[in-house]
Amino acid sequence: MKKIGIASDHAGFQLKEYLIGWLGAKGYEVYDYGCPSEESCDYPDFAHALASAVESGEVDGGVAMCGTGNGISMSLNKHQGVRAALCWTPEISALAKQHNNANICVVPARFIDHDEATAILSAYFEAEFEGGRHQRRVEKIPVQVEK
Ligand code: RB5
């Protein structure tokens, strides 16, 4: 993963800005899909922009946050090609990649500090999808639309 998209609402804005710097220092190309400030806003607006970028391949994966991580996860996961995982420990983020091949790592900005957030993201980026039985399960996640 080289090109990483990032998105938040106002509750995650400060953490998003911190992580843009952290990811850039790690060598990732970071694409910011908003929000642009701490002014109150609606997380779906920025979730859908990031999710579309992941689905189209404009970015290789994503990082997202809102206060709890729930609202932005719910919005991201409306997109068939997105597997957004809400992660609050490094073990959970590693498993989100190893077992679920999560393509967006979501963190709860109001419940973790900057060091916890970078530990969660480091574990996520270092982990690898294990495939095998997990591949079969991941393939069953998208809703099958009958034509
Ligand atoms: C914003 O106050 C808050 O509701 C939002 O960041 C998020 O936690 C929603 O799921």
Side-chain angles (χ1 to χ4, degrees):
M1 271 195 205
K2 270 319 237 178
K3 292 184 180 178
I4 300 297
I6 193 165
S8 77
D9 70 353
H10 54 284
F13 177 76
Q14 278 195 4
L15 179 58
K16 173 169 71 70
E17 296 303 295
Y18 176 77
L19 291 175
I20 287 171
W22 182 80
L23 288 164
K26 292 242 168 243
Y28 294 104
E29 253 180 80
V30 187
Y31 295 74
D32 184 2
Y33 293 93
C35 65
S37 74
E38 282 186 281
E39 191 178 326
S40 183
C41 61
D42 303 332
Y43 51 78
D45 297 339
F46 309 101
H48 292 311
L50 171 60
S52 297
V54 169
E55 280 189 312
S56 71
E58 186 173 301
V59 291
D60 302 318
V63 171
M65 64 232 63
C66 63
T68 60
N70 273 323
I72 206 157
S73 295
M74 290 175 189
S75 309
L76 291 164
N77 279 317
K78 290 293 177 189
H79 293 247
Q80 290 277 59
V82 166
R83 290 177 302 280
L86 176 53
C87 301
W88 59 96
T89 70
E91 189 179 9
I92 290 172
S93 62
L95 284 165
K97 175 70 78 55
Q98 290 161 351
H99 288 191
N100 314 116
N101 203 15
N103 50 15
I104 301 182
C105 184
V106 182
V107 294
R110 284 183 172 151
F111 296 87
I112 56 170
D113 62 26
H114 288 182
D115 289 344
E116 289 171 309
T118 54
I120 290 165
L121 290 184
S122 293
Y124 171 75
F125 287 119
E126 281 162 23
E128 287 188 12
F129 181 49
E130 291 176 4
R133 67 190 188 282
H134 301 298
Q135 179 67 40
R136 185 179 69 241
R137 293 163 187 168
V138 164
E139 283 171 7
K140 290 181 177 180
I141 291 175
V143 175
Q144 304 298 316
V145 182
E146 286 187 32
K147 291 186 184 159

